Amino acid sequence: MEQRKLGDGPLAGAIGFGCMGMSEFYGATDDEQSLATLEHALARGVTLFDTADIYGFGHNESLLGRFIRGKRDRVVLATKAGIVRSQSDPALRGVDNSPIYLARHCEESLRRLGTDHVDLYYLHRIDPATPLEESIAALARLVRDGKIGGIGLSNVTLTTVRAAHAIHPIRAVQNEFSLFTRTDQDALLPALAEMGIAYVPYSPLGRGMLTGSLQRQDLAADDFRRNLPRFADDAMAINARLVAALQAIAARRHLEPAQVALAWVLRQGPHVIPIPGTRRISYLDQNLAAATIELSEEDAMELQRIFHPAAVVGEPYPNMSFMR
Ligand SMILES: NC(=O)c1ccc[n+]([C@@H]2O[C@H](COP(=O)([O-])OP(=O)(O)OC[C@H]3O[C@@H](n4cnc5c(N)ncnc54)[C@H](OP(=O)(O)O)[C@@H]3O)[C@@H](O)[C@H]2O)c1
């Protein structure tokens, strides 16, 4: 697979792997099936594997720990901290980027992952109660101590990235980005290229909606997507029309919609490394083929006309004002 530079860090396969759905949020999971899918990904040239301490309350990091045993040097490992959850009320979210919290949670992540370092450690959300300088200084200490290879920021604006990068080099930014969510396309993306920072789009398949194969009635009762405005009944019906247009473009090129959606993300620049997620080898193979697809400028423009921000119904997330 084509290799892309992870900011100031190592090279990684142009398409990475988002492991979240192997533990929580998108329906039933099966560890043995997940491990087989991860093995297949590595064999096919995927090297960047993305997790977070909160996915499945540590389950996702433990699963990755099983997977990387004996092959740590062949994977580029990224995890995150900063979102606070409680097992007694799984829907609740808080944020904590205090130095003491980050140092403790990094140790816990390393233990679950069964390694002495990760290549990338993200602030999962920015904590308004902790000065950014203090959080970045705490992460810089973890870099100095060899526990993390580089610092990442997730769910951030360009202003925050510039402020953090002035304190310590930032390796990567991970935000939601897909045909459905193009907020970063015009300003953040080119600015990161200039600063030598990688851009890691999460939910590049619109949490599955851009594959054309997801219907609301297929979502399990506890599927997290049921809470998302874009997946509400009315919104999904309208968004499905955009997906139908994507399906028509894909059919014209004898491709799958997921492949076209990913090829569009990949063409945003050589510093872009998307991390689609799947539990299945068949979907994975489909998605990896996107790395070899070149969309024409006309195709890309047509897609952007279809998925004009004003045409997409529903925000990516519900009101998060309950966050402390
Ligand atoms: N930083 C953050 O705040 C944040 C937030 C969300 C996600 N993330 C990261 O980003 C990663 C990817 O995002 P995501 O999992 O939300 O969304 P995604 O990659 O946009 O979509 C995943 C969904 O698409 C389905 N899918 C994948 N390939 C398919 C194909 N070829 N055909 C049909 N369906 C397909 C998967 O199904 P199956 O699972 O059934 O295979 C899954 O339901 C996560 O795993 C996580 O690591 C980060």
Side-chain angles (χ1 to χ4, degrees), residues 18 26 50 154-155 203 205 207 275 277-280 286-287:
Y26 296 165
D50 184 86
S154 187
N155 299 294
S203 303
L205 299 172
R207 298 181 186 264
I275 47 166
T278 179
R279 293 165 288 181
R280 298 158 223 237
Q286 220 179 68
N287 298 346

Side-chain angles (χ1 to χ4, degrees), residues 7-144:
D8 63 351
L11 288 168
I15 297 181
F17 200 112
C19 303
M20 180 181 81
M22 293 179 158
S23 295
E24 203 187 350
F25 299 118
Y26 296 165
T29 62
D30 175 330
D31 286 357
E32 297 315 311
Q33 183 193 338
S34 296
L35 288 167
T37 305
L38 292 167
E39 290 289 351
H40 190 77
L42 185 63
R44 294 277 325 265
V46 173
T47 52
L48 174 61
F49 291 87
D50 184 86
T51 181
D53 58 353
I54 58 160
Y55 298 163
F57 295 95
H59 173 271
N60 204 240
E61 288 183 331
S62 299
L63 183 74
L64 262 188
R66 279 177 70 189
F67 162 60
I68 64 170
R69 202 171 302 147
K71 41 176 130 44
R72 173 67 188 89
D73 55 339
R74 291 164 55 205
V75 306
V76 178
L77 203 51
T79 192
K80 322 180 188 80
I83 295 183
V84 183
R85 294 185 71 191
S86 152
Q87 245 163 326
S88 60
D89 187 354
L92 262 187
R93 298 282 188 282
V95 202
D96 190 343
N97 292 347
S98 64
I100 196 160
Y101 179 93
L102 294 174
R104 195 178 79 235
H105 280 256
C106 181
E107 286 302 331
E108 288 175 8
S109 289
L110 293 176
R111 182 180 47 75
R112 282 189 292 264
L113 288 161
T115 182
D116 60 359
H117 74 286
V118 291
D119 301 287
L120 180 58
Y121 196 60
Y122 292 99
L123 291 180
H124 205 157
R125 292 274 187 293
I126 298 300
D127 172 9
T130 306
L132 188 66
E133 300 73 35
E134 288 182 20
S135 310
I136 300 298
L139 296 178
R141 284 193 287 280
L142 294 173
V143 173
R144 187 200 60 201

Side-chain angles (χ1 to χ4, degrees), residues 259-281:
Q259 295 172 324
V260 173
L262 278 176
W264 177 83
V265 169
L266 284 163
R267 82 190 294 282
Q268 303 304 315
H271 64 312
V272 177
I273 308 177
I275 47 166
T278 179
R279 293 165 288 181
R280 298 158 223 237
I281 288 178

